[in-house]
Amino acid sequence: MRNKLLLFYTLLLVLCFGGYAAYTQHALKNAQTFYLQMAPLDPLALLSGEYMQINYAFEQDVFGINAPVKQVTLYVDERGVAGRAKTDKPLVIPVHQVTARLPHQFYFQEGTAKKYDTAAYAQLKRLQDGRFLISALADKDLKLL
């Protein structure tokens, strides 16, 4: 009896993890994709591995003012680049204190830092639950690195 119960719970656990993995892949495939221009980058290597600290160009404009903001509205152009110039595709980004609620670190494989020297844009995906994820970095021509 115990062996059957153990087998049942093991299969249930495998199905749960498999379902979550499938859901995550589906959410990433169907997520809204856009690019944000990056400000100067700061590559670092810590115990967690190599990563790049990313600042976004729009943050310098928005957070340079004294009035606190709760959200920032950017607009996505025909190339998929989000910026301050108004288009018919608004993108609302929530703000926490004085930084946008966007990921600011991009982790990469150790020893491949030179590959990202020409990075000018971060490719982000907006998941259905409102979170953002950096999926890749791109050069000035939006070619993925």
Side-chain angles (χ1 to χ4, degrees), residues 44-52 105-110:
L44 301 168
L46 297 174
L47 293 175
S48 60
E50 288 190 68
Y51 72 95
M52 187 177 293
Q105 290 91 21
F106 179 73
Y107 291 87
F108 49 85
Q109 188 174 358
E110 197 168 328

Side-chain angles (χ1 to χ4, degrees), residues 11-135:
L11 287 174
L12 184 64
L13 189 62
V14 167
L15 285 173
C16 287
F17 281 124
Y20 180 73
Y23 167 76
T24 303
Q25 291 301 316
H26 175 73
L28 284 174
K29 187 170 31 169
N30 296 323
Q32 176 189 9
T33 302
F34 62 95
Y35 295 90
L36 279 176
Q37 186 175 11
M38 298 186 306
L41 312 172
D42 182 22
L44 301 168
L46 297 174
L47 293 175
S48 60
E50 288 190 68
Y51 72 95
M52 187 177 293
Q53 183 70 29
I54 298 174
N55 295 319
Y56 301 105
F58 82 90
E59 289 180 316
Q60 294 173 348
D61 298 334
V62 173
F63 301 122
I65 57 177
N66 293 333
V69 294
K70 294 186 181 193
Q71 64 184 23
V72 174
T73 303
L74 299 177
Y75 300 90
V76 181
D77 66 12
E78 64 279 348
R79 295 184 326 149
V81 178
R84 303 289 284 166
K86 291 191 177 190
T87 66
D88 60 345
K89 295 180 188 173
L91 174 70
V92 177
I93 298 174
V95 172
H96 177 69
Q97 294 178 350
V98 292
T99 59
R101 284 193 172 245
L102 294 170
H104 286 82
Q105 290 91 21
F106 179 73
Y107 291 87
F108 49 85
Q109 188 174 358
E110 197 168 328
T112 61
K114 286 281 186 204
K115 176 181 174 181
Y116 300 105
D117 282 347
T118 60
Y121 290 91
Q123 182 188 57
L124 286 97
K125 292 188 179 268
R126 182 182 194 144
L127 303 177
Q128 292 173 348
D129 62 3
R131 291 180 298 137
F132 295 91
L133 173 75
I134 299 175
S135 58

